Amino acid sequence: MKNRAFLEINGLKLKYGDKAVLDGVTLKIEPREVLVVMGLSGGGKTTLLNLLLRLMEPTSGTIMFRGEELLSLERRELNRARTRIGMVFQNAALISSMTVAENLALPLRELSDKTPKEIDKAIDEKLELVDLKDAREKLPGELSGGMKKRVGLARALMLDPELVLFDEPSAGLDPIATERIDDLILELKEEHNVTSIVVTHEMESAFAVASRMAFLDKGKIIFDGTPDEIKGTDNKVIQKFLAPYLAHERTGELHHANS
Ligand SMILES: Nc1ncnc2c1ncn2[C@@H]1O[C@H](COP(=O)(O)OP(=O)(O)OP(=O)(O)O)[C@@H](O)[C@H]1O
Ligand SMILES: [Mg+2]
């Protein structure tokens, strides 16, 4: 087999009207990496993830996924590629007239040939993963924000994807649920060889899960490196972004040293 990257994004551009939201994004992701993408609000993170699922089309650029150019795939092949990619949407994006179980069944009904019995089993399995077995027959409107988020995560895992895109998976969750999601991201990598891209503002989570970190600013990747490298960056925007976390980390160490 050719030596090729798992996912390779090159020169990706997207404009809304005449505003360049992504202005030539280039990123390479190896299997089993957890790439954390950070950036200021409105910087284009969600847009980038949406492009990877081809929920919208870029102005230019290429996206190679497992040796295939995603952007030139026809509907059938695109759907096949999409079975390998799970997305946890920032706003959960559940269908409000359907129960949790029906929401979770949807990707399997549309993109797999699993029997109703197999689908039922997969629903239980994924709900168990996110600690929500009791929510099976509930409607999204009956769930809290954090519960919806976890259902969105369960849905992203329904097809046992190789690549999972997490858009703010722990925003609005309590610290315990947040830690549970962090653990799940690592578990997916360790036990199922899943590769992840995680967009997050929660620095503690970011450093807990990341094998690599990238910073998106004004449509460009201005940093791409290891968690240790980003802590030492001399870029002012990133320093400011990380400052509260790093200060907290230092205080933690001080407490530790004094105790
Ligand atoms: N459908 C759309 N039409 C026009 N502009 C859009 C659309 N979606 C997003 N934008 C603009 O694109 C820019 C990037 O938005 P995006 O949602 O990708 O940012 P983000 O980095 O995910 O921000 P956040 O951290 O707040 O989630 C913003 O300026 C936003 O206003
Ligand atoms: Mg966003």
Side-chain angles (χ1 to χ4, degrees):
M1 203 166 88
K2 267 192 314 197
N3 185 14
R4 62 195 186 197
F6 178 72
L7 177 68
E8 201 166 345
I9 303 165
N10 249 305
L12 206 58
K13 294 193 183 185
L14 178 101
K15 279 187 181 168
Y16 285 122
D18 53 9
K19 184 176 183 272
V21 172
L22 297 182
D23 195 16
V25 168
T26 295
L27 273 175
K28 199 164 153 179
I29 297 147
E30 302 295 343
R32 297 180 87 244
E33 271 192 310
V34 178
L35 173 72
V36 167
V37 177
M38 296 173 287
L40 303 181
S41 188
K45 304 179 297 296
T46 295
T47 303
L48 176 62
L49 297 187
N50 284 341
L51 287 175
L52 295 180
L53 268 186
R54 266 186 75 186
L55 298 179
M56 47 175 83
E57 300 291 327
T59 322
S60 60
T62 59
I63 304 172
M64 293 292 282
F65 176 53
R66 303 165 83 259
E68 277 183 325
E69 172 48 72
L70 264 191
L71 296 172
S72 57
L73 296 183
E74 305 285 350
R75 168 73 47 191
R76 252 178 98 95
E77 280 73 43
L78 177 61
N79 279 341
R80 185 176 39 72
R82 277 177 177 155
T83 63
R84 305 201 161 107
I85 308 177
M87 169 113 160
V88 183
F89 291 91
Q90 189 165 12
N91 57 6
L94 302 174
I95 297 177
S96 59
S97 59
M98 290 185 165
T99 65
V100 166
E102 286 163 349
N103 268 284
L104 295 186
L106 219 50
L108 293 185
R109 289 210 184 111
E110 284 177 356
L111 298 169
S112 83
D113 44 22
K114 284 202 158 62
T115 64
K117 217 174 155 172
E118 288 168 326
I119 293 180
D120 247 16
K121 188 167 162 264
I123 292 171
D124 284 337
E125 216 177 272
K126 304 308 178 202
L127 281 178
E128 175 108 54
L129 264 184
V130 297
D131 300 322
L132 273 183
K133 279 200 108 159
D134 297 344
R136 205 179 193 282
E137 302 308 327
K138 290 201 157 65
L139 289 169
E142 300 172 285
L143 305 177
S144 73
M147 290 163 88
K148 276 185 218 155
K149 200 107 207 184
R150 278 142 69 203
V151 175
L153 172 55
R155 185 187 49 196
L157 301 178
M158 286 303 286
L159 287 156
D160 297 317
E162 295 165 40
L163 172 66
V164 183
L165 313 175
F166 295 90
D167 199 353
E168 300 283 359
S170 46
L173 298 191
D174 64 65
I176 293 165
T178 299
E179 207 177 304
R180 177 81 191 101
I181 304 272
D182 294 348
D183 288 346
L184 192 61
I185 292 172
L186 293 173
E187 198 178 302
L188 288 170
K189 166 175 134 167
E190 300 298 337
E191 284 165 33
H192 304 278
N193 294 319
V194 168
T195 307
S196 299
I197 303 180
V198 184
V199 167
T200 185
H201 282 115
E202 317 271 327
M203 287 304 107
E204 206 154 321
S205 289
F207 282 95
V209 300
S211 58
R212 204 150 61 82
M213 293 181 150
F215 199 97
L216 186 61
D217 187 46
K218 301 198 181 82
K220 290 196 164 72
I221 300 290
I222 59 165
F223 177 90
D224 181 356
T226 65
D228 274 341
E229 283 164 0
I230 204 170
K231 286 182 188 174
T233 181
D234 52 14
N235 180 285
K236 292 282 178 282
V237 177
I238 303 178
Q239 279 180 351
K240 202 163 174 181
F241 198 87
L242 295 184
Y245 170 75
L246 294 180
H248 178 77
E249 199 187 47
R250 274 193 298 273
T251 328
E253 278 166 17
L254 275 178
H255 280 308
H256 198 68
N258 290 338
S259 62

